[in-house]
Amino acid sequence: MSHHYSGPNVGFPRGDARLDFTDLYAFPSPADASRSVLIMNVHPAFSLLPPGPTTPEPFAADAIYEFKIDTNGDAVADIAYRVCFSVFANGKQTAVLRRVEGAQAAETGNEGRLVEEWPVSMDREAIVVEAEDHRFFAGWRSDPFFFDPIGAINDFHFSGKDNFIDKDVCSIVLELPRSALGAKPFGVWARTVDRANGTWIQADRGAKPSQAIFLPGDARDDYLASEPAGDSRFIPIFAHSLEHTGGYASVDALRVAATLLPDILHFDPALPASYPDNGRALTDDVLDHFLSLLTNGKVKSDGVGPHRDLLAEFPYLGPPHMAAAERFNAHEALHGGSDARKD
């Protein structure tokens, strides 16, 4: 959703930075057009309000990080890739990657395994594994998202300063054959599911940029806990926000709101990625598009552009700006050695 702070008051969902879904990308592999790349970014390394580093623990051990894929256009998942993580201990964490199909894909569970106990990349080296023609990475990376959120908060008075140019994020990257997803156009969204209180609760979800932070308002929690198949009920809420922010007439606001829902990113793997028409590339200026839509053309750009540290090879995202030791030390300096995982 490209917002980085989907909880209330520019915070994190359930108060946990590790559960915060930030961005979803879908594009053809630059090295092999017969393969597709899916990237889910979560857990921003720095919070905005209050400003400061979040926990050095990359992923929550009591959570599921999931790609949901709809192959027949009914906004219900037919394939799911699920990633779960071990407890963070001694500066290390491992990941398990699962794939399920059919009815199981629309549910929450622990069936199917592709990769077991693979190390999470804690430092600048990308630790990559291949299994059953899938390539997989999980760990800290340079955040490819570019935007001026301070300007957005300040009534869209942008300074052109990219708040994310030197920030890191936790990434889950999959490269897979187009045939693994049916080799036809499909819809994809991402979600985080939390079990900290003993039952699975969807903490965050999305696909298209920025919708949860700017549009649903008082219905945000309900929206984040919902499934795309039920998104039509949020059209009036989105339309109200568009009327308020962009000055849309009621009929136009409803029309535009209907184009934003369900919150699914559509991708034809046979074509180049270009948001909003097909998937999303790492360099697509999604926020300029969204700002123009949100404000009814009154604001067309925040004045910032793509980052230059992207890689030509898997996992495509640049190395993190902070080394593992620097990240730990920054957190300790802020929290005085306290256990503050849910920053």
Side-chain angles (χ1 to χ4, degrees):
M1 284 178 283
S2 297
H3 46 73
H4 286 71
Y5 316 101
S6 54
N9 301 317
V10 200
F12 298 117
R14 303 175 66 79
D16 192 339
R18 301 167 303 166
L19 299 175
D20 192 81
F21 161 65
T22 69
D23 290 283
L24 176 66
Y25 301 89
F27 54 90
S29 166
D32 185 347
S34 70
R35 297 173 65 83
S36 297
V37 179
L38 301 178
I39 298 178
M40 177 199 317
N41 285 341
V42 300
H43 185 181
F46 278 78
S47 62
L48 186 62
L49 296 175
T54 59
T55 174
E57 176 179 342
F59 302 97
D62 46 11
I64 294 175
Y65 299 80
E66 192 168 26
F67 294 101
K68 294 279 199 178
I69 295 149
D70 169 27
T71 61
N72 60 12
D74 64 355
V76 176
D78 304 292
I79 300 170
Y81 286 93
R82 295 175 179 144
V83 187
C84 299
F85 296 91
S86 69
V87 172
F88 182 72
N90 300 317
K92 298 179 180 180
Q93 193 169 37
T94 59
V96 173
L97 171 65
R98 297 180 172 92
R99 173 188 162 108
V100 292
E101 301 181 29
Q104 291 180 337
E107 300 170 355
T108 302
N110 296 319
E111 302 84 7
R113 293 201 175 196
L114 280 176
V115 175
E116 296 195 41
E117 306 304 325
W118 187 251
V120 169
S121 294
M122 303 299 303
D123 225 317
R124 292 192 169 107
E125 179 188 2
I127 306 173
V128 176
V129 64
E130 295 191 26
E132 298 184 25
D133 213 15
H134 288 60
R135 190 173 291 173
F136 172 67
F137 166 89
W140 289 103
R141 288 277 96 184
S142 171
D143 193 343
F145 182 59
F146 48 99
F147 186 48
D148 174 10
I150 304 301
I153 295 172
N154 189 28
D155 293 327
F156 304 115
H157 292 123
F158 294 107
S159 66
K161 181 180 179 180
D162 183 359
N163 189 67
F164 302 94
I165 192 68
D166 58 352
K167 301 299 191 298
D168 295 333
V169 73
C170 289
S171 302
I172 296 171
V173 187
L174 275 178
E175 184 173 296
L176 60 162
R178 281 163 44 181
S179 58
L181 303 177
K184 297 180 180 179
F186 60 86
V188 58
W189 66 99
R191 70 171 187 160
T192 61
V193 188
D194 178 37
R195 194 174 56 177
N197 295 325
T199 58
W200 290 116
I201 299 175
Q202 184 169 286
D204 205 353
R205 61 102 172 186
K208 298 175 183 177
S210 299
Q211 296 188 171
I213 190 64
F214 286 117
L215 291 176
D218 292 339
R220 183 176 298 133
D221 288 346
D222 188 18
Y223 177 74
L224 294 179
S226 300
E227 298 285 343
D231 275 355
S232 60
R233 65 193 177 98
F234 295 105
I235 290 177
I237 299 169
F238 274 46
H240 178 75
S241 293
L242 290 169
E243 287 183 59
H244 175 74
T245 305
Y248 284 88
S250 296
V251 63
D252 293 328
L254 286 168
R255 173 182 55 79
V256 173
T259 69
L260 298 174
L261 297 168
D263 191 3
I264 295 175
L265 187 66
H266 295 284
F267 179 51
D268 183 345
L271 300 175
S274 180
Y275 188 85
D277 298 320
N278 190 51
R280 178 183 175 186
L282 293 169
T283 55
D284 285 342
D285 201 331
V286 296
L287 260 295
D288 278 5
H289 173 269
F290 185 74
L291 285 170
S292 181
L293 183 149
L294 181 66
T295 65
N296 200 9
K298 298 179 181 67
V299 179
K300 299 184 182 299
S301 178
D302 65 338
V304 300
H307 297 171
R308 298 181 179 180
D309 60 352
L310 301 172
L311 305 180
E313 66 277 354
F314 190 90
Y316 306 110
L317 305 172
H321 298 277
M322 267 194 176
E326 294 175 284
R327 195 178 310 282
F328 178 80
N329 290 338
H331 184 269
E332 290 294 291
L334 179 66
H335 296 285
S338 64
D339 180 15
R341 295 189 312 164
K342 295 186 178 182
D343 300 298

